[in-house]
Amino acid sequence: MITTEIRQRILEAVKTNRANYPSDAKHAASLGITTSVYSSVKNGQTDRVLSDANWISIARKLGVSLRGEMEWKAARTPTFEYISAQLETCQSGGLSAIMCDLPNIGKTYTARHYVKTHPNAVYIDCSQVKTKLKLVRKIASEFGVDSKGRYADVYEDLVFYLRSIECPLIILDEAGDLQYEAFLELKALWNATERCCAWYMMGADGLKEKINRSIECRKVGYTEMLSRYGDRYSSVVPKDGKERQRFLIEQARIVAKVNVPEGVDPATIARKSGGGLRRVYTEIEKLKRQ
């Protein structure tokens, strides 16, 4: 059962997310609802306009938790600053890049935060849309393009839309999970939107290994795709073991500093976490529940 309180939180997220779309119609399409229903929701009507299933779907798309979660503030860690700067550069110049680095350093959080504050930027979790069809339909739906028709029509409509709007950016997280056909389709989409759309691929070392291995095996499409994404893998974490650990602990301390309860030493939380940001969240959550 979706309570009134949860509906209000989802409604606030809808209002915030509206700034990222050129029209109410596009925003409604991205949320999977009709324009008439969208108008009612936008005007504050939450009773009997949407089913619980629709509310859950919108909450999922906008990252609204259905259970109470503690407030989490963005911390300007080196990873946050580095990826944000890369995303800004890519989006403003219609460029593409690949980020391959350690997991649990804040890549996904930074990408999601960027999308919330920049129009025409979308975030795609490729681990949830591994096939060519699911991937392209998901990208289309995020931009508010009809994603339910014939695949060929969805593809053409998406390309047309990306070439029509100002500075679109598509962030592909967990890109190493994509199937081979999906990688080939990304190359085709890049070709069709060259200089009109920016692409940013993210993953851990597995993504880098997958691309390099495919290139060594002369698998069709990978050499061309890497070339389109800048011919290099960017990273932020130092390679040296001692420097890497200091970097991770310092990042954890920065995140803890802006989120710990008053009177708690952020350095202590950072040491407990071992530099892992998910552990930082868990440790702070335990403190706030006491």
Side-chain angles (χ1 to χ4, degrees):
M1 180 66 179
I2 305 299
T3 65
T4 301
E5 180 188 354
I6 292 173
R7 288 176 188 162
Q8 287 298 324
R9 283 199 279 119
I10 298 172
L11 178 59
E12 289 304 312
V14 169
K15 291 178 179 178
T16 300
N17 189 241
R18 170 63 183 85
N20 289 356
Y21 291 84
S23 67
D24 284 357
K26 286 295 181 188
H27 194 207
S30 75
L31 299 176
I33 58 179
T34 65
T35 52
S36 59
V37 169
Y38 176 87
S39 179
S40 298
V41 172
K42 186 179 177 183
N43 290 329
Q45 187 176 342
T46 60
D47 292 331
R48 293 186 295 278
V49 292
L50 287 170
S51 66
D52 281 359
N54 287 138
W55 283 114
I56 291 170
S57 178
I58 294 172
R60 174 180 57 80
K61 290 176 180 177
L62 299 183
V64 179
S65 175
L66 299 183
R67 63 182 180 88
E69 287 190 349
M70 66 177 177
E71 180 187 3
W72 195 251
K73 299 174 184 177
R76 305 196 74 84
T77 65
T79 297
F80 185 95
E81 297 280 12
Y82 182 85
I83 293 179
S84 295
Q86 283 209 317
L87 292 173
E88 289 273 11
T89 300
C90 286
Q91 186 171 17
S92 62
L95 306 174
S96 301
I98 300 179
M99 171 73 171
C100 290
D101 215 325
L102 296 179
N104 199 16
I105 61 171
K107 298 190 300 294
T108 296
Y109 181 89
T110 302
R112 289 185 178 276
H113 184 275
Y114 183 92
V115 165
K116 287 180 180 179
T117 55
H118 291 77
N120 296 336
V122 301
Y123 170 88
I124 306 295
D125 180 354
C126 295
S127 68
Q128 304 301 312
V129 286
K130 300 175 184 179
T131 67
K132 176 182 78 172
L133 271 63
K134 286 184 177 179
L135 174 65
V136 173
R137 291 185 187 277
K138 177 63 173 176
I139 295 172
S141 69
E142 288 296 314
F143 278 108
V145 174
D146 181 17
S147 62
K148 298 178 181 178
R150 282 195 324 134
Y151 176 75
D153 293 333
V154 173
Y155 181 94
E156 293 298 333
D157 287 348
L158 174 60
V159 168
F160 177 80
Y161 185 69
L162 291 176
R163 293 181 65 87
S164 302
I165 61 176
E166 183 178 358
C167 299
L169 167 67
I170 299 169
I171 303 172
L172 302 163
D173 198 6
E174 304 289 356
D177 288 354
L178 291 173
Q179 295 180 4
Y180 178 51
E181 272 196 338
F183 268 104
L184 291 181
E185 201 74 334
L186 283 177
K187 181 168 75 76
L189 270 172
W190 192 100
N191 290 343
T193 60
E194 185 175 2
R195 298 190 182 89
C196 300
C197 180
W199 299 79
Y200 194 81
M201 194 177 288
M202 296 197 311
D205 289 340
L207 171 62
K208 181 178 179 180
E209 291 172 7
K210 180 176 184 176
I211 295 173
N212 287 344
R213 185 170 61 249
S214 297
I215 290 173
E216 289 172 6
C217 295
R218 298 186 179 181
K219 203 166 185 177
V220 174
Y222 280 88
T223 299
E224 298 92 328
M225 189 196 68
L226 181 60
S227 172
R228 285 157 174 76
Y229 281 78
D231 263 330
R232 62 184 293 269
Y233 306 100
S234 59
S235 62
V236 64
V237 178
K239 303 300 182 186
D240 179 77
K242 290 183 179 178
E243 287 187 20
R244 176 189 301 174
Q245 191 58 27
R246 282 196 292 268
F247 176 93
L248 296 176
I249 293 294
E250 177 58 15
Q251 279 214 142
R253 188 195 66 80
I254 293 170
V255 171
K257 184 178 180 181
V258 299
N259 286 287
V260 291
E262 187 175 352
V264 176
D265 180 19
T268 301
I269 299 294
R271 287 192 295 271
K272 282 185 179 181
S273 74
L277 299 188
R278 292 188 184 91
R279 181 67 186 275
V280 171
Y281 183 94
T282 301
E283 291 297 328
I284 293 176
E285 187 177 38
K286 288 192 294 187
L287 288 172
K288 290 187 174 181
R289 287 184 174 180
Q290 289 176 358

